[in-house]
Amino acid sequence: MGAAMAIARADITGLVLAGGRGTRMGGIDKGLQLFQGEALAAHAVRRLRPQVGRVLVNANRNFPAYEALGVPVVADSLPDHPGPLAGMLSGLEHCATPWLLTVPCDTPRFPPDLAARLAAALADGGDHARIAMASAPEVGPDGLTVLRRQPVFCLLHVELRDSLQCFIEDGGRKVGAWTAQHGAVTVPFDRPGDAPDAFFNANTPADLQALEHP
């Protein structure tokens, strides 16, 4: 199916990325940390379900806890867990639909229309558009508000699997560097009514506390 055609919900697999080392969380499994009494990954799964046809979780430890979320769990196929790109590659390897939508496990308030808006941007981008990513307003150190890309919130076509594998095997680790090779479409989430904290992520225990008590 060409990107210029509408992308149906059933043609998108959602992937929750929970396979990181949790370094800034002290090495704990970030996706299983509690937010409002429930694991962060559970929030992400529930928020994805109505947006896509199928949901997967990428995890590399504590598999029974992730399997208890009721969706298939896929581990990195590459050794040493080399960052979110490895999780994205695993998602592409297990994706049974033309499109994969990735979200991190630590951003429980991501937009409920994320998939629809990224898909619409790809449909408008022509037959060669294969990646769309979100961007969101952020106040910089100079006090000015700018749109910052959120590259892990990414809708991509399964045909990019080989490209991603080669990029990682060549030492690439930055999501933005890889997506730039394919002319990713950037979709701003700055409309009136868009939640200002939709892309706030819990990298540290302090961040998680800030999410619990805004």
Side-chain angles (χ1 to χ4, degrees), residues 78-86 88 164-178:
L78 299 176
D80 303 322
H81 316 317
L85 284 176
M88 294 168 73
L164 179 54
Q165 182 165 356
C166 290
F167 181 82
I168 297 172
E169 289 176 349
D170 287 342
R173 295 294 180 266
K174 298 290 187 181
V175 178
W178 175 67

Side-chain angles (χ1 to χ4, degrees), residues 113-130:
D113 58 353
L114 177 70
R117 286 164 70 173
L118 295 183
L122 284 175
D124 291 341
D127 287 332
H128 300 293
R130 286 294 181 266

Side-chain angles (χ1 to χ4, degrees), residues 44-65:
V45 168
R46 186 170 58 251
R47 212 160 178 86
L48 264 183
R49 280 190 192 275
Q51 302 193 46
V52 298
R54 181 182 185 227
V55 178
L56 306 173
V57 170
N58 164 241
N60 292 305
R61 50 181 165 163
N62 298 315
F63 294 106

Side-chain angles (χ1 to χ4, degrees), residues 101-122:
L101 173 64
T102 65
V103 301
C105 66
D106 59 3
T107 310
R109 296 188 175 122
F110 65 83
D113 58 353
L114 177 70
R117 286 164 70 173
L118 295 183
L122 284 175

